[in-house]
Amino acid sequence: MADLLTNAAAEQAQIGPGGLFMATLRRDLLLSLRRKSELVNPLIFFLMVITLFPLGVSPEPGFLAQLAPGALWVAALLATLLSMDALFRTDYDDGSLEQLLLSPQPLFIVVLAKVLAHWMLSGLALTLVAPVIAVMLFLPAEGMPGLMLSLLIGTPTLSLVGAIGAALTVGLKRGGVLISLLVLPLYIPVLIFGTSAVQAAVTGLPLGGYLALLGALLALGLALAPLAIGAALRISVSG
Amino acid sequence: MSFNSISEFLTMGGHGLYVWLSYGLGLVVILANLIVPLQAGKRLRVQLTRRLLREKQGS
Amino acid sequence: MSDKKWMPRWFYQLASPRWCYQICGKLLPWFTALALGLLIGGTIWALVFAPADYQQGNSFRIIYLHVPSAILAQSCYMLMAIAGAIGLIWKMKVADMVAKSCAPIGASLAVLALLTGAIWGKPTWGSWWVWDARLTSMLILFFLYLGVMALNSAIESESTAAQATAVLALVGLVNIPIIKYSVEWWNTLHQPATFKLTEKPAMPVEMWLPLLVMVIGFYAFFAVTLMMRLRNEILRRERRAGWVKELLLSKSAV
Amino acid sequence: MSGPMLQVENLFCERDDRVLFDGLGFSVDAGEIVQIEGANGSGKTTLLRILSGLSRNYEGEIYWRGEPIERVRDQFRRELLYFGHQPGVKALLTPEENLRWYCALHPALDASRVSEALEQVGLRGFEDVPCHSLSAGQHRRVSLARLYLSDAPLWILDEPFTAIDKRGVAAKEALIGRHIARGGSVILTTHQDLQGSSAVRAINLDRQGGT
């Protein structure tokens, strides 16, 4: 009788925080892979938004090339935003989120793992298909490294900040539109530096400074966003 | 005093429209910020009092 | 709540909605008189006595509304975030109510700053809107206010709404300097600043003194409207407390 | 003997303008079953969520082994098993994957006992079937398997017997009995009467509400 009372507390941790991080990453990736539509939706959305620009503005190559950096970044931003709502919603609906919050492990580890999984299937995937779509917008070849690098460093910040919005609205039945309202103003610095990096690359200017700024934003996001996400999740579930 | 006549003051050297429009808007915002909470407060008091009296009668 | 002992007495008292309601009631007339005096005096000074700008002429007089409202819109956001944080950390109800009362005031001041900026832009730049760094970041500040208000009204439970809003306001607070910096930097990149709205080299005393009066007047006015909203909010949230019932019944009996 | 495991003092909670309970106080000792009773909407689930630490919208004090619960939150989470309204089972994952992730969340659990636990709830052979193709009862049992895995002294169970057949209920009650015998405690809500357990103490929330 006595051993049960002390056992659980005294027992050495068998799966440490690192193990939890990997387990959560694996789980979230697996979940997305089993629901294929969710996997490709951001990519299709990205492609469709890009298609709208020539149709809506002008198909003239010179003009499109000028428009390309901004259009690509805005489309990537919207595609990320679109997939954000699902990040915690299914976990909230089936009660997994409650179990997650009751874990004795540090919350930011699970949160970081979930955001990383989200980024791999949105931001990283967008980065990989971006060159193909950039060609359709006649972005000069010199701009490609800038585009890829800025997306690679910038999109994780979008996922991190977006996750704050997702965590704040997870308790609401209709959170989708609200997330955009909360998160879009916060995306502006990433958009500005990301677009600037691509433009700098196109015109042959050094782009290290822009990438450094994007990196600084990412570092800040990595340090602070998990705290905000964790607090927001506890608040949303508590309500 | 930087104006010599009333009409000069009103036209603001050709910028009258902009200046008076701005100050009009300023007045609107300030008044709105006073009237809205005032009205809301009145409505709230009436509503709460009514409810309180109802509860009193009910019990 | 057991480790409250180290806090100063006034902080502890501030946590009591009843005390707060009463002190606001006592302060309101004073602040109203102060705000009215400063705003009316400042406006007359600004419109009649301050000299016209040698470049912009009389349209320059818009500065006496534009700058105070812009400053207040930012201060108000800061107060909202700090009050939200206090409410979040110490579970202090009054702080939550302050934060909630701040949002609509700040949003209206941001609107005023935007509108006066746009109106001022017409004679200065020749168009109603220019993507000037200050106007752009004020627009984003306005969006942040909208987000805070939308979130607050979307969540039904009041304490949850207050906490969630506080987190969002804090995230916004961290972001405001970043947004400001990035927008300013973006602006200088895109259009070399030829003619900024508010940055004047060395404004003469007779120009900035009325501006100072207007800024202080706006702060006093902000205190007035905040206290009015706060008192409403206290009554609404504390409607089941004994003192509120007494207060309402004593008023209705008269 | 040491004091009670969980102690609640002067608990106050309101929802939607309604006081659910005010001045609620009770304690839970080792080896005890506490059943929360009350009509629908009396705040049973809310109380369990407050006790488990999910909901923070309350006033009053909760002590875990004599310490205020905010101070020993991590310790408390290590010693708690919470079974909520939603089973916390991912429909797209197999029972085994679900339980393995649960083990990752609770480092004290032995992940090698997952298949054993699944066998005990009668899900042997379903290890690699995604949960969405299981029946409602089986779905629920995936979550119940956590009870077999867990060594946590305190169990908080919200309606653990819904969607389970008679035999399952009996097995479940036996499990609870064994947990009690080992010195654990259980706080639960249920529409069914617990049979054969002598140490059940009831707390009725209907008499608590102020309005």
Side-chain angles (χ1 to χ4, degrees):
Chain A
M1 160 167 179
D3 64 277
L4 179 65
L5 295 182
T6 52
N7 210 6
E11 209 165 329
Q12 277 282 308
Q14 291 176 343
I15 304 176
L20 176 61
F21 184 85
M22 291 316 290
T24 308
L25 183 63
R26 235 195 72 165
R27 164 183 177 270
D28 271 41
L29 288 177
L30 208 61
L31 279 170
S32 298
L33 292 176
R34 291 203 181 148
R35 200 169 347 176
K36 302 242 170 14
S37 68
E38 212 169 273
L39 191 65
V40 289
N41 275 352
L43 291 178
I44 295 174
F45 181 81
F46 186 52
L47 185 63
M48 282 183 175
V49 170
I50 290 297
T51 316
L52 296 182
F53 281 93
L55 294 176
V57 190
S58 156
E60 200 259 312
F63 186 75
L64 279 178
Q66 216 177 7
L67 197 73
L72 281 163
W73 255 99
V74 168
L77 192 147
L78 292 177
T80 311
L81 200 58
L82 181 81
S83 58
M84 219 66 243
D85 188 43
L87 182 58
F88 299 113
R89 173 131 348 249
T90 52
D91 282 345
Y92 179 81
D93 288 342
D94 64 22
S96 306
L97 195 57
E98 288 179 349
Q99 296 302 334
L100 193 157
L101 292 179
L102 290 176
S103 161
Q105 303 258 39
L107 183 56
F108 74 89
I109 290 187
V110 185
V111 164
L112 267 182
K114 285 186 77 71
V115 173
L116 180 63
H118 173 267
W119 174 73
M120 286 169 80
L121 298 175
S122 61
L124 186 61
L126 291 180
T127 308
L128 293 177
V129 298
V132 181
I133 293 169
V135 169
M136 290 165 66
L137 288 184
F138 306 102
L139 185 78
E142 303 84 61
M144 293 299 174
L147 179 68
M148 299 274 282
L149 280 173
S150 68
L151 282 175
L152 194 67
I153 308 176
T155 46
T157 316
L158 298 183
S159 291
L160 282 165
V161 174
I164 301 176
L168 283 170
T169 53
V170 74
L172 303 170
K173 283 186 190 70
R174 302 175 137 269
V177 189
L178 194 55
I179 290 189
S180 331
L181 207 59
L182 307 185
V183 162
L184 272 179
L186 306 176
Y187 276 178
I188 284 166
V190 179
L191 176 70
I192 288 175
F193 296 132
T195 321
S196 304
V198 185
Q199 275 164 350
V202 170
T203 48
L205 293 170
L207 50 102
Y210 306 111
L211 296 181
L213 280 169
L214 284 174
L217 288 180
L218 176 57
L220 192 70
L222 276 175
L224 295 182
L227 294 176
I229 298 166
L233 283 177
R234 289 204 192 281
I235 291 165
S236 288
V237 169
S238 172
Chain B
M1 188 88 77
S2 50
F3 298 100
N4 297 320
S5 67
I6 296 281
S7 66
E8 202 179 308
F9 175 62
L10 288 178
T11 52
M12 286 273 165
H15 290 151
L17 170 69
Y18 310 116
V19 173
W20 293 115
L21 191 59
S22 293
Y23 278 81
L25 282 171
L27 192 67
V28 168
V29 168
I30 286 176
L31 283 182
N33 264 312
L34 295 177
I35 292 168
V36 168
L38 215 59
Q39 290 289 335
K42 264 189 198 150
R43 230 179 304 129
L44 183 73
R45 277 158 193 272
V46 170
Q47 199 184 330
L48 288 181
T49 312
R50 214 178 273 157
R51 203 163 110 177
L52 209 61
L53 293 174
R54 199 170 55 220
E55 273 170 23
K56 253 189 166 179
Q57 282 171 346
S59 62
Chain C
M1 301 296 254
S2 51
D3 40 18
K4 242 185 197 169
K5 282 180 194 117
W6 55 270
M7 287 186 208
R9 193 176 137 79
W10 63 266
F11 193 78
Y12 190 75
Q13 274 184 327
L14 208 58
S16 147
R18 181 183 190 176
W19 187 83
C20 211
Y21 182 86
Q22 283 162 347
I23 203 80
C24 283
K26 276 182 200 148
L27 287 177
L28 255 175
W30 298 101
F31 271 90
T32 312
L34 184 68
L36 271 179
L38 285 173
L39 285 180
I40 292 174
T43 308
I44 292 173
W45 194 349
L47 281 176
V48 183
F49 295 102
D53 184 72
Y54 67 99
Q55 268 182 317
Q56 303 185 13
N58 282 310
S59 70
F60 166 76
R61 293 177 200 282
I62 298 174
I63 197 177
Y64 299 108
L65 273 182
H66 177 72
V67 168
S69 55
I71 291 177
L72 251 291
Q74 290 173 39
S75 302
C76 183
Y77 193 94
M78 240 181 278
L79 177 64
M80 180 174 76
I82 292 168
I86 292 174
L88 205 58
I89 297 165
W90 288 292
K91 282 191 169 185
M92 193 170 163
K93 271 191 189 172
V94 174
D96 286 346
M97 298 179 203
V98 170
K100 191 182 174 188
S101 309
C102 275
I105 306 173
S108 70
L109 289 168
V111 168
L112 181 60
L114 282 172
L115 288 177
T116 50
I119 293 171
W120 193 2
K122 183 67 184 163
T124 313
W125 296 313
S127 66
W128 293 103
W129 183 264
V130 165
W131 289 95
D132 163 72
R134 279 164 191 257
L135 284 183
T136 309
S137 53
M138 187 52 63
L139 184 65
I140 297 167
L141 182 68
F142 176 58
F143 290 156
L144 289 177
Y145 274 122
L146 286 187
V148 166
M149 280 156 63
L151 183 66
N152 203 311
S153 63
I155 302 176
E156 269 172 43
S157 157
E158 280 188 346
S159 58
T160 308
Q163 291 168 24
T165 312
V167 170
L168 182 66
L170 281 172
V171 171
L173 191 66
V174 174
N175 269 282
I176 282 179
I178 301 173
I179 292 174
K180 254 191 119 100
Y181 164 75
S182 64
V183 168
E184 255 162 45
W185 173 87
W186 159 83
N187 191 246
T188 49
L189 191 80
H190 279 262
Q191 40 186 54
T194 46
F195 203 17
K196 278 198 178 167
L197 268 189
T198 50
E199 263 174 25
K200 301 248 63 187
M203 211 187 269
V205 183
E206 59 267 35
M207 274 188 176
W208 67 253
L209 215 52
L211 185 58
L212 186 68
V213 172
M214 285 300 271
V215 170
I216 299 172
F218 261 77
Y219 270 105
F221 157 72
F222 172 65
V224 171
T225 175
L226 179 64
M227 284 194 281
M228 282 164 68
R229 279 182 193 273
L230 181 60
R231 271 163 67 95
N232 289 346
E233 198 59 26
I234 291 175
L235 275 191
R236 204 171 59 77
R237 293 269 294 260
E238 296 288 302
R239 58 189 171 269
R240 271 182 310 282
W243 69 270
V244 174
K245 288 183 181 171
E246 264 170 46
L247 186 85
L248 289 170
L249 288 177
S250 70
K251 286 268 169 66
S252 71
V254 175
Chain D
M1 268 306 276
S2 56
M5 274 173 123
L6 188 75
Q7 196 177 352
V8 175
E9 278 175 13
N10 218 0
L11 203 65
F12 167 86
C13 177
E14 62 179 352
R15 271 297 137 82
D16 308 327
D17 222 6
R18 205 162 54 92
V19 178
L20 290 179
F21 30 86
D22 190 1
L24 180 66
F26 60 90
S27 62
V28 182
D29 292 320
E32 202 177 20
I33 302 177
V34 172
Q35 183 177 1
I36 312 291
E37 292 174 341
N40 280 338
S42 60
K44 286 174 292 185
T45 296
T46 307
L47 177 60
L48 292 192
R49 287 171 59 85
I50 289 174
L51 293 181
S52 67
L54 281 173
S55 176
R56 308 269 172 96
N57 293 336
Y58 66 90
E59 282 161 45
E61 305 296 331
I62 302 175
Y63 299 95
W64 175 247
R65 298 194 196 282
E67 297 271 348
I69 201 152
E70 308 90 68
R71 298 244 184 93
V72 288
R73 195 64 82 178
D74 274 4
Q75 173 72 23
F76 175 68
R77 286 199 192 117
R78 230 169 271 142
E79 302 188 73
L80 167 75
L81 184 146
Y82 174 77
F83 183 93
H85 249 279
Q86 265 78 40
V89 172
K90 281 264 163 240
L92 285 172
L93 296 181
T94 67
E96 194 174 346
E97 285 162 343
N98 266 305
L99 289 178
R100 283 201 182 276
W101 188 63
Y102 184 73
C103 287
L105 284 179
H106 292 266
L109 297 186
D110 186 358
S112 61
R113 276 169 52 199
V114 164
S115 53
E116 187 191 326
L118 281 175
E119 185 174 352
Q120 262 159 324
V121 291
L123 284 174
R124 165 131 257 179
F126 290 97
E127 284 92 345
D128 47 8
V129 179
C131 288
H132 60 77
S133 44
L134 297 178
S135 73
Q138 285 170 322
H139 203 271
R140 192 105 183 131
R141 274 187 276 159
V142 176
S143 186
L144 287 178
R146 289 191 283 134
L147 299 185
Y148 289 94
L149 275 175
S150 175
D151 282 330
L154 177 66
W155 289 2
I156 295 183
L157 314 174
D158 195 355
E159 298 290 347
F161 299 131
T162 45
I164 300 178
D165 57 10
K166 270 221 168 77
R167 222 161 40 110
V169 171
K172 190 73 180 300
E173 282 192 21
L175 183 65
I176 289 176
R178 211 163 63 226
H179 179 63
I180 297 303
R182 282 189 300 180
S185 14
V186 179
I187 305 173
L188 56 76
T189 62
T190 174
H191 286 302
Q192 275 161 302
D193 284 328
L194 288 174
Q195 286 156 5
S197 317
S198 51
V200 180
R201 191 153 58 86
I203 291 171
N204 197 317
L205 289 181
D206 289 339
R207 274 169 256 136
Q208 291 290 338
T211 44

